[in-house]
Amino acid sequence: MPEGRSVAANARLIGAITFGSRILGLARESIAASAFGAGPVWSAFTIAFTIPNLFRKLFGEGALSAAFIPIYARLHATPGRERAAQRFAAQGTNLLVTTLAAITLTVEIVLISLILSGIGREDHRLAMGLTAIMLPYVVFVCGAAFLGGFLNVHGRFAAPAAASVLLNLCLIAAIGGCAVFFDLSLENERIRATYAVGGAVVVSGVLQVLLLWPSLKASGYRFLPTTGAWSRRTRQMVRIGLPVAFSAAVLQIGVLLDKGIAFFLAAEPDAVPGGWTPMAAGAAARLNWAQYVYQFPLGVFAIALATAVFPALARDAKFDAGRNDSFRQTLRRGIESAVFLGIPASLGLVLVATDAVRVLFERGRFTTEDTQLVATSVAVYSAAVWAFALQQIVNRAYYALQETTVPLRWAMYNLAINIVIELPLIWLLPRGWGEVGMPVGTFASFAIQSLWMMLLLNRRLGGIGLGQSIRPVAIMLLATGAMVAACWPIRWIGDDSTTWSALRLGVTMVTGAGVYFALTGATGVLRLPRRGK
């Protein structure tokens, strides 16, 4: 793929591949919901799988990638520094793999010791056992994400974006196989099946690295095992990346904390003294499914756009970025693009939440009551899709400027706001509905964080021309209002059957997209940033 390809073209490519991956992901979660249901067994798997995902975002997509790409992009763009750039890439890989291998070994020892001690409830020990099985996935998936950053600088976005496809394919095959070879109506059989699915997670990590290898070779990457990992440039990368790591850690700890609270507080009434619990059994699994649904548009457009914009921002960022018109223009266009797709996605998901959850999940061991709880959480989470999309762009602008303390500070504020809001709601909401307090806290904290960080960045750069965005954003809001008005009556057609839900879902999506894009297209309100040199 040519390195001069435009940001818009790269965003479309990443979005298309990610869309396919997300479709497979929805199929995976739908199969899992039907086969395992929202009980303690799959909740344990959900908690365990969150651990390697935490490391992936922390080390792979987060700290080291955010620090690596600006340094490597500048080295690579400097004539005569190709060998130095190759050596730095190999050193960064060595540092990442060595660090993660040591962490993995240490955590494995701790987990095995806790399991052998017999501590905790049975489902808690199951979660620890599944974590131990899946933990090696950390090394492979973080390595793949880090190497994907190398390929992004070289204008190769397809292979890194497609890596997650392999995870979904492996898990679909594993869950489908478990449904055939295990009697999932029995709890002990479901437990055995989750261990098999955990093994498939590790296999997918190996395949993701292998998928990248041809593109790495074509881009000039060379694995140099004898190259020292602790060089001057890797020390610079770590120095820049540490605040990013802490920032990502705070956010991911917040995600893990939400699921952990749900996992520990949720129980069957007969398992709790007095028979009262703020959350019904399976709350962690239901929150995971709700998060997966609202994150669908984020993966399709927000992550794709931010991934495509970041290398351009990194190349344009200079000490005087406040006077760099190219940097500011790309940033402003990125913000407008995030809002352009984020606002209708937010309200659109709120409109279709119940129908989407029913069509995707309500079958097998997934009940009507589960649909009501998951759909409510989806609607609340979805109201903040625009904020998540905006934050992706703003964070990458700070990272491109190598200013990482602001995202770190605001990640900590985010966690504090989230906890202050959600903890009281867990107990104040009606019996069994406490899990909905988690999305409310998430919505409020991310809405505040994204807007305030954008305003701080605007001041830091001496203005990025936000005044020029008033008209297009106003048109986006009006078009979104028209979209909601056109789609609202569709909600009352038919009954609550899966067939009618699927019909309403399809009609609403077509109608909403048609109205919104027709109105915004008629005004020429937005074009994605096209700078991609």
Side-chain angles (χ1 to χ4, degrees), residues 37 76 123 125 144 149 251 499:
H76 174 66
D123 56 339
R125 292 194 297 274
L251 291 175
T499 301

Side-chain angles (χ1 to χ4, degrees), residues 251-447:
L251 291 175
Q252 293 309 308
I253 288 171
V255 172
L256 183 60
L257 185 63
D258 281 358
K259 292 181 180 178
I261 291 172
F263 185 55
F264 283 98
L265 289 183
E268 297 289 355
D270 58 3
V272 180
W276 190 91
T277 175
M279 302 182 194
R286 285 191 296 271
L287 281 174
N288 182 66
W289 284 318
Q291 290 168 356
Y292 206 91
V293 173
Y294 91 82
Q295 287 172 359
F296 182 87
L298 291 178
V300 172
F301 76 86
I303 306 299
L305 177 64
T307 302
V309 167
F310 189 31
L313 289 173
R315 284 190 293 269
D316 289 340
K318 297 177 182 177
F319 180 75
D320 62 341
R323 295 186 296 275
N324 188 325
D325 288 338
S326 178
F327 180 89
R328 290 187 294 171
Q329 182 178 5
T330 299
L331 173 58
R332 189 180 70 253
R333 289 289 191 178
I335 290 172
E336 289 178 358
S337 300
V339 174
F340 175 74
L341 295 172
I343 291 176
S346 286
L347 291 179
L349 273 173
V350 172
L351 287 172
V352 303
T354 300
D355 286 331
V357 171
R358 183 176 292 119
V359 170
L360 289 170
F361 303 122
E362 193 177 302
R363 62 184 63 84
R365 300 182 61 83
F366 192 98
T367 67
T368 302
E369 290 74 20
D370 292 329
T371 294
Q372 294 173 349
L373 286 164
V374 173
T376 304
S377 294
V378 167
V380 179
Y381 276 131
S382 299
V385 164
W386 62 270
F388 295 121
L390 179 60
Q391 187 196 340
Q392 291 293 327
I393 301 295
V394 173
N395 272 359
R396 280 165 173 76
Y398 277 108
Y399 297 154
L401 295 169
Q402 298 187 14
E403 293 186 8
T404 54
T405 56
V406 174
L408 169 59
R409 188 165 62 248
W410 269 96
M412 298 172 68
Y413 296 158
N414 180 299
L415 180 59
I417 294 169
N418 194 0
I419 291 174
V420 167
I421 292 174
E422 71 182 25
L423 284 182
L425 286 175
I426 291 173
W427 303 98
L428 292 175
L429 287 171
R431 178 177 177 176
W433 285 77
E435 64 196 70
V436 178
M438 308 291 193
V440 175
T442 299
F443 163 73
S445 60
F446 274 92

